Amino acid sequence: MTPPARILVTGATGAVGSAVVRALDAAGHETHGVSRRGGAGPRQHAWSIGRQEPPATLRGPWHAVVHCAGDTRWNLPAPRAEAANVGPLRALLTATGPATHFVHLSSSYATGLRGDTVSEAPEDYRNSYEWSKAAAERLVHALRDSADIVRFPIVMGARADGFLDRYSGFFWLPSSMCSGAVPALVAEEKGVMDMVSTDDVAAHVVRLLADGPPAGRRLTVLGRGDRAQRVDETFDTVRDALNSWRAEHGVPALEPLPYVAPEQWNRFYRPFAEEHLDRGQLTRITALRAYQDYLSVTEPFEVTDRVPDTALLLHRSIRRWAETHEASARRVPRPWGT
């Protein structure tokens, strides 16, 4: 696709969507971004896709649509997850013709517990987010003869400095480590923690659009694959990054937390501990359960496009989180039970 092309990016104010917009602008395209509330700039628009008609400025043909919008919360009831992650996609696919190059951003975790997106049964997925992302991929196959589907795992910031437009998801970890919100790391030490940079995703989208629409549905999977960091390496990197920042700001270093295997935690430690925890600690323990499955993945994803090493990327992203969340990064954890 030769610039300038008219391209619509959904979820344009999110961590990935904003990076995609910047990359497409830098490539010389006429990029329009949409999100529920809109953003700054003349080409940023507010549009609740699937619930209202598009603004007049967004009508007409598009050379390409890059669908980044989605709700990544894991605990949504199935109907709400479907409304957030499948409904808007259906509206976009219906509104755009076959001449539009459609790029759908998915998740490596859309393959759920079976390793594919075939099943419609919620029990074949860890949560409603995975289930809805699998349903979205099936919808692309059903409604488009030509489209790109891009899967990727956990998203970190820019490779140069760790910058993210929005720190969420994985960044519960540094926050919890600084606040003492969890008493132990409930994880498989040798589990796999694959991740990518927003730069990786944005650059990949630019390349796909430059190549033009595929002859069919083309799936690409970004990540490190069998070269991804292990869980214990990931936690060490996060703690080292936090402690380097804390040392520069006169804050005591964080001590390593013990590892507890999820089965041991759920069968022995948690039931005993719950009797002695206050309401706030119980809330944190409950929230931690949502992450256990992802900290226990031992088989790496198969990737089609291997990204560069992510250890330094993770270090920079955690330090940038600390710089932008200074009050949280300065906290000194209190031992549980005090």
Side-chain angles (χ1 to χ4, degrees):
M1 183 178 298
T2 303
R6 191 167 184 256
I7 301 175
L8 178 67
V9 178
T10 70
T13 58
V16 174
S18 54
V20 169
V21 168
R22 287 192 291 270
L24 291 172
D25 283 343
H29 295 295
E30 180 190 329
T31 313
H32 293 258
V34 297
S35 55
R36 282 178 297 175
R37 297 182 180 85
R43 292 181 183 170
Q44 290 284 343
H45 314 273
W47 179 25
S48 184
I49 304 171
R51 297 182 180 180
Q52 57 186 205
E53 291 298 314
T57 51
L58 298 182
R59 296 171 189 165
W62 297 97
H63 293 101
V65 172
V66 183
H67 185 46
C68 305
D71 193 326
T72 60
R73 288 177 291 176
W74 300 337
N75 59 352
L76 291 177
R80 288 184 59 190
E82 184 175 30
N85 294 325
V86 183
L89 173 62
R90 187 187 303 276
L92 283 170
L93 290 169
T94 303
T96 54
T100 299
H101 186 172
F102 200 94
V103 181
H104 171 63
L105 299 195
S106 187
S107 167
S108 298
Y109 298 101
T111 55
L113 299 172
R114 290 164 40 109
D116 59 48
T117 60
V118 175
S119 176
E120 298 180 13
E123 59 267 24
D124 288 330
Y125 302 89
R126 297 177 185 87
N127 50 57
S128 62
Y129 171 69
E130 292 185 356
W131 171 78
S132 65
K133 295 301 283 187
E137 287 198 22
R138 293 195 300 271
L139 185 63
V140 173
H141 280 266
L143 297 185
R144 294 299 283 249
D145 293 328
S146 171
D148 273 297
I149 297 174
V150 182
R151 294 179 189 158
F152 49 89
I154 297 167
V155 177
M156 290 291 114
R159 285 189 174 272
D161 59 5
F163 170 80
L164 269 173
D165 289 84
R166 183 179 302 170
Y167 291 88
S168 59
F170 179 86
F171 292 91
W172 69 273
L173 177 58
S175 177
S176 297
M177 291 173 70
C178 292
S179 67
V182 292
L185 298 175
V186 182
E188 296 290 348
E189 287 188 67
K190 300 304 178 184
V192 178
M193 287 291 286
D194 208 346
M195 58 189 64
V196 296
S197 165
T198 53
D199 300 339
D200 300 328
V201 180
H204 185 71
V205 168
V206 172
R207 288 194 296 270
L208 290 178
L209 295 181
D211 291 343
R217 274 88 57 179
R218 175 171 54 188
L219 172 66
T220 51
V221 185
L222 309 182
R224 292 287 292 162
D226 57 6
R227 300 181 193 174
Q229 280 190 298
R230 298 292 174 176
V231 166
D232 56 346
E233 297 171 338
T234 300
F235 283 134
D236 286 346
T237 300
V238 171
R239 189 169 59 86
D240 289 346
L242 289 171
N243 281 342
S244 69
W245 185 90
R246 289 164 73 94
E248 293 172 8
H249 293 78
V251 185
L254 299 171
E255 296 296 327
L257 291 173
Y259 284 94
V260 180
E263 183 178 3
Q264 286 181 303
W265 174 258
N266 291 318
R267 290 185 62 184
F268 302 109
Y269 292 99
R270 181 176 56 80
F272 173 77
E274 283 181 343
E275 300 179 20
H276 309 282
L277 301 180
D278 61 33
R279 181 177 298 178
Q281 291 169 331
L282 283 171
T283 299
R284 293 165 188 162
I285 289 294
T286 301
L288 180 64
R289 293 179 194 173
Y291 295 94
Q292 290 179 21
D293 287 339
Y294 295 101
L295 299 176
S296 305
V297 175
T298 56
E299 292 298 321
F301 295 116
E302 293 186 10
V303 299
T304 61
D305 293 69
R306 196 184 305 275
V307 305
D309 187 71
T310 53
L312 182 56
L313 164 65
L314 176 60
H315 191 278
R316 287 173 174 166
S317 297
I318 296 299
R319 279 195 55 104
R320 189 61 180 258
W321 171 86
E323 292 168 5
T324 55
H325 297 75
E326 186 169 344
S328 295
R330 284 181 172 274
R331 295 185 68 176
V332 176
R334 289 194 315 166
W336 281 52
T338 62

